Structures are given as structure tokens and as C-alpha cells.
């Protein structure tokens, strides 16, 4: 099985910065994509940023220019640097990974979620 362990998050004032990290471990043959989604109560989970192997990165329009996603393929870790945070960024952030556990088997995996609160 695969585990995604998130760290980071917390409380920050508007205009501030936070960093999130997520390390994948377990039965990993290769990682196709890693990224971050977020969810607020009563709304659907939405994509924040995704780093695909070989095809680059994708960002939600609302975070372009403020958030940066990066991957460390040696450590199977994805990072999200969040700058100029806004109250609208308040949400639970979930790490996501699309992983081949063997050469033929694959799955989509989620972290447990970490709270990010932007408030003065």
C-alpha cells in the first residue's frame, strides 16, 4: 500500500506565506503525478496544483502567480509554496498522488489533509 504524509499548514495573516510538503512511501514503482487539492465545508474538493511527470505543472487560476509546486523525485515528495495568501485560500489541503504500485497496477492516493487558515 501507499501512504502520503503531509506536513506544514497552519494559521497565517493575509499576505503571508506558508509551505506544505507531502512524502509518498510504501509500494511505489513509479509516480505519474503528485499535487494538491483543497476543500472547504459545503464545497467540492478542487485542484490547486499538480506536477505531472513529463508534462509539467497545472495550477488553478485562482493561485497562479502566488503558489508554486515542485517535486523531489528522489524523495518522492511534493511541495507547495504559497505566497501572498488570501482569506479565500482557507481550506483543508489534501496531497494527491497517481502512483504505479507495480508495472501494471496503479492507484490514486490521498493524504489525510492539513488545515490552512488565512486570517488576521
Amino acid at each position: 500500500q501507499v501512504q502520503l504524509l503531509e506536513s506544514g499548514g497552519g494559521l497565517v495573516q493575509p499576505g503571508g506565506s506558508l509551505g506544505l510538503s507531502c512524502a509518498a512511501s510504501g509500494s511505489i514503482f513509479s509516480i505519474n503525478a503528485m499535487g494538491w487539492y483543497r476543500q472547504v465545508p459545503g464545497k467540492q474538493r478542487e485542484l490547486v496544483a499538480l506536477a505531472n511527470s513529463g508534462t509539467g505543472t497545472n495550477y488553478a487560476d485562482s493561485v497562479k502567480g502566488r503558489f508554486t509546486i515542485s517535486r523531489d523525485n528522489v524523495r518522492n515528495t511534493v511541495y507547495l509554496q504559497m505566497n501572498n495568501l488570501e482569506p479565500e485560500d482557507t481550506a483543508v489541503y489534501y496531497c494527491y498522488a497517481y502512483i504505479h504500485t507495480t508495472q501494471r497496477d496503479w492507484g490514486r492516493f490521498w493524504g489525510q489533509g492539513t488545515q490552512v487558515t488565512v486570517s488576521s
Side-chain angles (χ1 to χ4, degrees):
Q1 195 49 281
V2 173
Q3 297 81 40
L4 301 180
L5 182 61
E6 301 158 344
S7 61
L11 173 64
V12 65
Q13 292 186 343
S17 298
L18 276 178
L20 304 179
S21 65
C22 172
S25 63
S27 181
I28 299 172
F29 178 77
S30 65
I31 299 179
N32 287 47
M34 293 188 78
W36 297 90
Y37 285 70
R38 66 187 181 188
Q39 189 170 23
V40 298
K43 292 191 176 182
Q44 285 191 329
R45 193 172 295 187
E46 64 174 7
L47 173 69
V48 176
L50 194 65
N52 298 284
S53 297
T55 60
T57 57
N58 300 91
Y59 292 93
D61 288 342
S62 60
V63 307
K64 284 181 181 176
R66 300 188 297 121
F67 291 12
T68 302
I69 190 170
S70 59
R71 276 175 61 178
D72 181 334
N73 293 323
V74 174
R75 293 180 173 82
N76 291 335
T77 300
V78 64
Y79 305 94
L80 185 68
Q81 179 62 38
M82 304 181 289
N83 298 327
N84 195 20
L85 282 158
E86 303 169 352
E88 293 73 23
D89 295 316
T90 296
V92 177
Y93 284 69
Y94 294 92
C95 179
Y96 161 84
Y98 172 25
I99 293 175
H100 279 263
T101 53
T102 70
Q103 198 166 11
R104 293 183 303 175
D105 300 319
W106 61 272
R108 303 181 191 276
F109 301 92
W110 295 92
Q112 77 281 4
T114 185
Q115 177 70 45
V116 172
T117 302
V118 184
S119 175
S120 55

